[in-house]
Amino acid sequence: MNKDFASSSIDTRCVQAGWQPADGEPRQLPVWQSTTWKYATSADMGALFDLARAGYFYTRLQNPTCDSVAAKITALEGGAAGMLTSSGQAANFFAVFNIASAGDHVISSAAIYGGTSNLFTVTMKKMGVDFTLLPPDATDDELDRAFRPNTKAVFGETLSNPGMEVLDLSRGAARAHAHGVPFIVDNTFATPVNCRPFEWGVDIVTHSTTKYMDGHAAQVGGAIVDSANFDWMAHAEKFPGLTTPDESYHGIVYAERFGKAAYITKCVAQLMRDLGSAPAPMNAFVLNLGLESLHLRMRRHCENARKVAAWLAGRDEVAWVNYPDLPGNKYHALAQKYMPQGTCGVIAFGLKGDRDRAIRFMDALQFVAIETHVADARTCVLHPASHTHRQLSDAQLAEAGIPKELIRLSVGIEDAGDILRDLEQALAK
Ligand SMILES: *Cc1c(COP(=O)(O)O)cnc(C)c1O
């Protein structure tokens, strides 16, 4: 009796998709706060370990609360299969490592979250995966030249954190597919309410659910959704992990056995099994409450941010404002194409004067708070050069599209007039 919400609007999917109670079951998603499940016979449990039958046995692998929320996010993205992870970092690591291991190469946009950039160029490099970082507006030629015989994926962010560059999704998908590899996109900032990358040819989407999806700064989490549009078997020699027998599961070939769920099943069965990073059921429950109002909050975030961006652009103290919804912005045309209803609540801007001016302005704010966070119901600010990206050199900052004076303002869902008044009194000081 599971209703298929594929034809419902995104608003209805936010509220209704995922948990589908049967008669007499709880209306609200239950929290299965249990590590384990009981079975009557040894054979029943054995079949689960062989992946011969689907079922729950241990929360590191699967948990019904987490699976219900993964199903909602999968429905929001219009995907075929999805999973939750304990953080956005784990989601991006798993999404890439599921198809690229030691000796492989991945092309990534350089305009990505600082944590992801560290993961790729420091930690995964130590694991033997090589990354080429290119600016998000690299030409087709530059992109084509970056491919190597061992390239396994192309990666980028729909809207980059914190630079707010807009990725040309169709163009990235066309280049990746011309070279026989999938396009993986982190859709954290846009959320599926404002952009559904699968509609533009993207194959796999990741999220830090810590941000707008949760929206209340209440849990750290991540998600991976697969469109199942990429044909692993057509490029079997590139993706042996999906197309040749897995000896740790009695010779199962994921792409043959699991069809549209192949990529996600492999990711759970191998990476979640061996590396952990499983979400807590209680956190999945909290995330689900956030998802139920995601559509309403995104509308208000965008409405408020448009007002704030236009106001900042008119101020003498402000050197520049980067908000793709503003006409005249370098990414305005791409934003209109991929996110016609609005991008998100994050604005990047710079004040005239030295680096200290940014710090003095931020220290003078009243309810707008300095936080290592973004995409929250409460308006907050951060200075990436002094906070999230402080380990990057000036050259690396420039490569990631982050000027030293950049202030990341995450506009919340308070009254826009109150937000403007707080910014104004801080600018005046
Ligand atoms: C925050 C963020 C991440 C990392 O997510 P965590 O949940 O903090 O681990 C990844 N990508 C983007 C775009 C982010 O904003």
Side-chain angles (χ1 to χ4, degrees):
M1 85 135 235
N2 273 13
K3 184 170 160 31
D4 172 14
F5 288 96
S7 60
S8 305
S9 88
I10 198 82
D11 294 23
T12 302
R13 281 183 255 171
C14 282
V15 182
Q16 291 280 354
W19 170 241
Q20 302 298 313
D23 272 0
E25 285 186 349
R27 184 64 197 95
Q28 178 56 282
L29 171 64
V31 183
W32 272 273
Q33 193 69 38
S34 181
T35 59
T36 193
W37 277 258
K38 73 158 274 264
Y39 288 92
T41 73
S42 170
D44 286 345
M45 179 103 99
L48 300 179
F49 275 95
D50 285 348
L51 303 185
R53 228 183 62 204
Y56 294 99
F57 53 101
Y58 194 59
T59 284
R60 169 152 41 79
L61 282 129
Q62 283 191 289
N63 173 287
T65 307
C66 301
D67 283 358
S68 287
V69 183
K72 174 174 288 199
I73 295 174
T74 302
L76 289 175
E77 287 289 2
M83 65 191 279
L84 299 187
T85 57
S86 57
S87 68
Q89 286 299 108
N92 282 328
F93 173 50
F94 280 20
V96 174
F97 199 62
N98 201 31
I99 49 174
S101 45
D104 289 338
H105 170 252
V106 173
I107 298 171
S108 173
S109 164
I112 51 175
Y113 174 66
T116 312
S117 155
N118 255 329
L119 166 69
F120 288 173
T121 61
V122 181
T123 299
M124 289 187 75
K125 191 173 167 61
K126 285 183 195 157
M127 302 170 84
V129 185
D130 213 11
F131 285 81
T132 299
L133 267 51
L134 289 177
D137 354 293
T139 63
D140 283 1
D141 254 14
E142 287 167 331
L143 254 168
D144 284 339
R145 279 201 303 272
F147 282 89
R148 303 177 191 166
N150 60 343
T151 303
K152 297 300 166 78
V154 178
F155 183 95
E157 288 177 7
T158 317
L159 276 171
S160 68
N161 176 3
M164 290 295 283
E165 286 104 331
V166 180
L167 198 61
D168 191 340
L169 300 177
S170 311
R171 200 162 68 81
R175 295 335 305 146
H177 296 160
H179 294 270
V181 303
F183 189 24
I184 306 176
V185 166
D186 180 333
N187 196 34
T188 297
F189 268 20
T191 82
V193 170
N194 284 342
C195 180
R196 286 171 299 282
F198 296 155
E199 294 171 3
W200 303 100
V202 171
D203 301 288
I204 293 155
V205 160
T206 61
H207 283 280
S208 165
T209 63
T210 317
K211 313 296 166 55
Y212 287 115
M213 282 192 170
D214 173 304
H216 302 77
Q219 57 91 50
V220 171
I224 308 172
V225 183
D226 182 19
S227 67
N229 291 332
F230 191 82
D231 187 348
W232 307 108
M233 278 305 192
H235 306 281
E237 73 301 338
K238 269 194 202 296
F239 303 103
L242 281 149
T243 61
T244 61
D246 176 1
E247 294 317 329
S248 71
Y249 277 115
H250 312 301
I252 280 178
V253 177
Y254 290 95
E256 283 172 354
R257 175 77 78 88
F258 297 104
K260 285 180 184 296
Y263 170 90
I264 292 292
T265 304
K266 174 180 181 290
C267 202
V268 171
Q270 293 179 343
L271 301 186
M272 201 56 101
R273 177 194 65 185
D274 296 350
L275 299 170
S277 313
M282 189 64 210
N283 279 3
F285 173 84
V286 169
L287 167 60
N288 192 56
L289 291 180
L291 288 168
E292 288 181 0
S293 64
L294 181 64
H295 53 303
L296 298 176
R297 289 184 287 107
M298 288 314 287
R299 236 160 263 157
R300 180 63 174 253
H301 280 293
C302 290
E303 189 188 308
N304 280 355
R306 271 192 289 267
K307 288 180 190 160
V308 171
W311 182 85
L312 284 171
R315 295 289 302 200
D316 278 347
E317 304 92 331
V318 174
W320 55 268
V321 179
N322 184 14
Y323 186 59
D325 305 49
L326 278 186
N329 182 276
K330 181 178 175 192
Y331 294 101
H332 188 64
L334 284 177
Q336 290 288 299
K337 175 176 176 186
Y338 296 116
M339 291 158 270
Q341 289 161 340
T343 53
C344 70
V346 181
I347 299 170
F349 71 99
L351 292 179
K352 290 178 189 157
D354 54 14
R355 199 172 160 143
D356 283 355
R357 181 138 190 215
I359 298 186
R360 277 190 320 240
F361 161 74
M362 288 171 54
D363 288 351
L365 289 163
Q366 289 173 344
F367 75 80
V368 174
I370 300 172
E371 287 170 22
T372 306
H373 193 49
V374 66
D376 185 30
R378 289 150 290 215
T379 301
C380 57
V381 279
L382 185 91
H383 184 225
S386 335
H387 305 136
T388 46
H389 291 65
R390 67 184 298 144
Q391 75 283 8
L392 297 192
S393 67
D394 285 3
Q396 285 172 318
L397 277 177
E399 187 179 69
I402 304 164
K404 276 175 291 187
E405 73 277 14
L406 184 149
I407 295 173
R408 185 181 73 184
L409 173 64
S410 172
V411 179
I413 58 175
E414 305 94 337
D415 176 77
D418 287 333
I419 298 170
L420 293 180
R421 272 184 288 281
D422 198 4
L423 298 176
E424 179 155 39
Q425 64 78 27
L427 277 182
K429 281 186 183 159

